[in-house]
Amino acid sequence: VSLEAGILQPVQVEQFYSAPAVDTVDQQLLPILEAAPSAEPPDPKTCSPREYLESYIFPVLLPGLAELLQQAQKENCFEGRRTKFIASDFLTEWLYNKNPKRKDESFTEFFSIPFVKDWLKDHPRPPIPLSLILSEEEASIIIQSFWRGYRVRCDGEIQELRQWQKKLREERNINKVVKEFWTKQEAK
């Protein structure tokens, strides 16, 4: 979609099927938005829906969508089916921070935006699965440590030790002994 002089030009279907040159991909996918014409924008209350979109919505939304695509590419969203990147969160944060009414204010993170805080109080999100949070290295360390622990616990001598500890806990009421030990230590 190209935006020239405030008017949207129809996109040719062939553009989507042809393989563009590498250096022109960014220019085709993420157009540089030109300034709106010097003519005064139409009255938002009396203009047609198309004029309203072209004059008030698209000049703000299209740069945000371009930033969204660049961020999604940085987050490798196009390489896998699942990702921790939430596009609507990014776009909300971007639009909030680029609002001309907030020009002199500092950058605000998504979860610090007032209306987002209010919404999340009433509609909490489920936790993000570890498979999306952890890197491959961190996940492999957790899996390997679990597997090493499992293999050690399967060893006969370790099984015998664990049975002895269980029996000791049951016979001597180990919780009481530990509690008494710490009371004596604190009294010193």
Side-chain angles (χ1 to χ4, degrees):
V1 178
S2 64
L3 183 65
E4 295 178 13
I7 299 173
L8 289 174
Q9 301 295 325
V11 175
Q12 305 266 330
V13 176
E14 296 84 32
Q15 288 178 344
F16 293 111
Y17 297 110
S18 64
V22 176
D23 58 346
T24 61
V25 171
D26 289 336
Q27 294 171 354
Q28 289 179 353
L29 295 178
L30 306 173
I32 298 172
L33 299 177
E34 296 178 5
S38 60
E40 196 168 308
D43 181 23
K45 295 182 180 177
T46 59
C47 67
S48 70
R50 180 183 174 113
E51 290 174 331
Y52 185 82
L53 285 172
E54 291 173 354
S55 301
Y56 297 100
I57 303 296
F58 289 150
V60 175
L61 188 60
L62 290 178
L65 290 174
E67 287 288 325
L68 172 74
L69 288 173
Q70 289 175 349
Q71 186 64 30
Q73 189 173 16
K74 287 179 189 172
E75 298 280 339
N76 299 325
C77 293
F78 306 122
E79 294 177 10
R81 291 183 63 193
R82 297 176 65 210
T83 178
K84 65 181 177 180
F85 180 71
I86 302 172
S88 59
D89 290 357
F90 176 84
L91 192 57
T92 302
E93 179 182 281
W94 189 88
L95 289 170
Y96 183 79
N97 286 308
K98 298 295 180 176
N99 187 343
K101 294 177 183 176
R102 298 190 69 252
K103 188 187 326 181
D104 298 331
E105 296 180 29
S106 63
F107 179 83
T108 306
E109 290 188 13
F110 177 74
F111 293 105
S112 300
I113 298 173
F115 66 85
V116 172
K117 283 183 182 178
D118 294 340
W119 174 261
L120 290 176
K121 283 180 190 172
D122 299 332
H123 307 88
R125 290 183 173 178
I128 298 174
L130 278 178
S131 61
L132 297 179
I133 296 174
L134 298 176
S135 68
E136 285 188 24
E137 290 177 18
E138 294 169 329
S140 65
I141 289 171
I142 291 173
I143 293 169
Q144 290 169 3
S145 63
F146 173 80
W147 180 250
R148 283 192 300 268
Y150 171 76
R151 295 299 299 162
V152 166
R153 287 188 296 273
C154 288
D155 187 14
E157 291 180 2
I158 301 297
Q159 285 291 330
E160 185 180 330
L161 175 64
R162 294 179 78 196
Q163 292 297 327
W164 176 79
Q165 289 174 334
K166 181 180 177 183
K167 185 178 174 186
L168 184 64
R169 276 193 300 267
E170 290 170 356
E171 289 176 358
R172 296 185 60 201
N173 196 0
I174 195 69
N175 291 334
K176 181 181 172 187
V177 172
V178 169
K179 194 173 187 179
E180 289 174 1
F181 171 78
W182 283 113
T183 350
K184 289 178 185 176
Q185 290 294 334
E186 290 174 358
K188 290 182 180 180

